[in-house]
Amino acid sequence: MGKVSCLIIGSGPAGYTAAIYAARAGLKPLMYTGLQQGGQLMNTTDVENYPGYPSGILGPEMMEDFKKQAERFGTDIRFGMATKVDFSSKPHKVWIDDSIEIHADAVILATGAEAKWLGLPSEKRLNGSGVSACAVCDGFFYRGQEVAIVGAGDTACEEAIYLSKLCTTVHMIVRRDEMRASKIMQERVKNIANIKVYWNSVTDEVLGGNVVEAVRIKNTKENTVVEVPVKGFFVAIGHQPNSAVFKEYIITDNQEYVVTVPGTPRTNVEGVFACGDLQDKVYRQAVTAAGSGCMAALEAERYLSEHGLI
Ligand code: NDP
């Protein structure tokens, strides 16, 4: 059993930023990285919208920079997965890989979220080569070209609108004859001339050798198939926040995102803070995750000093 002041769970931009701030505040943070050290950015190629990298940077390289910066100030970074927690009494208890027991006065949850995918082999094969789950991250690469997007929620609508400003045509694939998105978003989509909606339609296959070249769309009502040439294929069918292990103690919403006190990283449990995509279903950017990681560390430090724990 180990005892620390500040335990950080997760190693995306939120977790590493929390670590940098916590370490510089003298909290000697311990971080457990989770299985995918570096988080979702490890699956991306060029990141061009993170301030401070004027020429862009590869996602994995950027996360290596984050890691080095966290280590430079003394963060103890270890590989392991939080598999059980007990936040019913203090100090808080977290088990790593079902065996290592850690007691911590403050815990920062930064386990992120994962994009949901359709499950097509072609989608997996061309991931990062035209297939993406983030229009704001990757839309720029397809400016002046045709793209497709799957989904009909607020995210899909928002991303279709974003893409419509960059791309010549956005082919939006909707599986039912109506959208789940809020009325206002649906209206916006319908009023944009270069968004073409395919109702009652599913993605039959993403086509292409080394990069996306086209998408085969099947209308399930009419049983017809069309092949549409596109350079980018965006999947916007929702995300799954990695909150399952905390749910017994931490309040989550109906989509399993951790609920925080508005404008703060505070959860319903004193001394437990949440940051990054685990608690953000709207912005989901590396820079917003990093910002919320900073807030979590500042709150953790305030909490520890107010309670005489540092
Ligand atoms: P949602 O779960 O709301 O929507 C997912 C969409 O993807 C649905 O239209 C669903 O279709 C479709 N879908 C799911 N699985 C498949 C599949 N296998 N094939 C094809 N289509 C599929 O996710 P969002 O990410 O859009 O939104 C999540 C939450 O975040 C919502 O509460 C939303 O309101 C909120 N949000 C708010 C924003 C804002 O306030 N600016 C911006 C973005 C999101 P179907 O409807 O048929 O089930």
Side-chain angles (χ1 to χ4, degrees):
M1 193 265 286
K3 168 82 199 331
V4 294
S5 293
C6 179
L7 174 67
I8 298 167
I9 307 174
S11 59
Y16 280 135
T17 306
I20 293 163
Y21 274 77
R24 292 188 79 252
L27 305 186
K28 298 189 173 62
L30 170 62
M31 169 189 276
Y32 273 97
T33 61
L35 284 187
Q36 189 176 37
Q37 189 165 346
Q40 292 180 84
L41 279 165
M42 301 305 281
N43 296 332
T44 55
T45 51
D46 296 303
V47 179
E48 294 186 335
N49 55 6
Y50 199 92
Y53 294 102
S55 312
I57 183 159
L58 293 172
E61 275 178 30
M62 186 167 104
M63 294 326 294
E64 189 56 31
D65 283 350
F66 272 56
K67 178 167 177 269
K68 280 188 200 143
Q69 197 170 350
E71 280 173 335
R72 178 177 159 211
F73 299 109
T75 308
D76 182 354
I77 300 177
R78 301 183 196 174
F79 184 77
M81 186 89 179
T83 47
K84 187 178 139 191
V85 301
D86 180 353
F87 295 155
S88 63
S89 60
K90 292 173 186 161
H92 300 301
K93 298 172 196 67
V94 175
W95 283 263
I96 305 296
D97 298 329
D98 292 322
S99 54
I100 304 160
E101 184 177 338
I102 307 286
H103 291 191
D105 294 319
V107 182
I108 295 177
L109 311 178
T111 48
E114 285 160 33
K116 290 182 187 164
W117 297 97
L118 299 172
L120 296 169
S122 52
E123 166 199 56
K124 197 168 184 185
R125 181 172 59 81
L126 293 166
N127 199 323
S129 303
V131 173
S132 166
C134 179
V136 177
C137 315
D138 298 326
F140 185 75
F141 301 120
Y142 308 105
R143 60 197 185 282
Q145 312 197 57
E146 295 197 26
V147 295
I149 184 164
V150 188
D154 280 327
T155 302
C157 288
E158 215 169 70
E159 299 205 338
I161 294 167
Y162 181 85
L163 291 167
S164 72
K165 294 173 191 150
L166 297 169
C167 305
T168 50
T169 307
V170 179
H171 303 274
M172 187 169 186
I173 306 165
V174 176
R175 69 177 171 183
R176 291 187 289 138
D177 59 1
E178 59 177 350
M179 292 193 189
R180 181 186 292 260
S182 52
K183 280 279 168 285
I184 185 164
M185 293 302 284
Q186 294 190 34
E187 283 312 311
R188 278 188 203 150
V189 164
K190 286 173 193 166
N191 287 327
I192 295 175
N194 67 335
I195 301 179
K196 182 174 177 193
V197 179
Y198 296 70
W199 300 102
N200 300 306
S201 294
V202 296
T203 308
D204 200 38
E205 204 67 72
V206 188
L207 306 168
N210 295 325
V211 293
V212 170
E213 289 161 18
V215 57
R216 200 160 60 220
I217 302 170
K218 183 175 179 182
N219 184 311
T220 50
K221 224 169 187 178
E222 291 161 10
N223 213 12
T224 50
V225 172
V226 284
E227 217 170 277
V228 182
V230 292
K231 296 286 187 220
F233 180 79
F234 291 89
V235 181
I237 62 170
H239 285 74
Q240 181 62 47
N242 297 315
S243 60
V245 73
F246 314 121
K247 271 178 72 179
E248 195 180 336
Y249 301 94
I250 300 291
I251 294 174
T252 54
D253 68 12
N254 59 357
Q255 289 156 341
E256 299 178 22
Y257 285 88
V258 167
V259 175
T260 50
V261 176
T264 81
R266 290 198 291 272
T267 69
N268 59 301
V269 176
E270 206 184 43
V272 179
F273 307 91
C275 51
D277 287 12
L278 176 66
Q279 50 83 59
D280 172 20
K281 61 184 164 204
V282 177
Y283 301 107
R284 291 194 293 245
Q285 298 302 300
V287 69
T288 50
S292 72
C294 160
M295 290 162 68
L298 294 177
E299 284 281 339
E301 199 239 334
R302 184 175 305 168
Y303 167 80
L304 292 168
S305 57
E306 277 173 7
H307 289 77
L309 296 163
I310 43 168

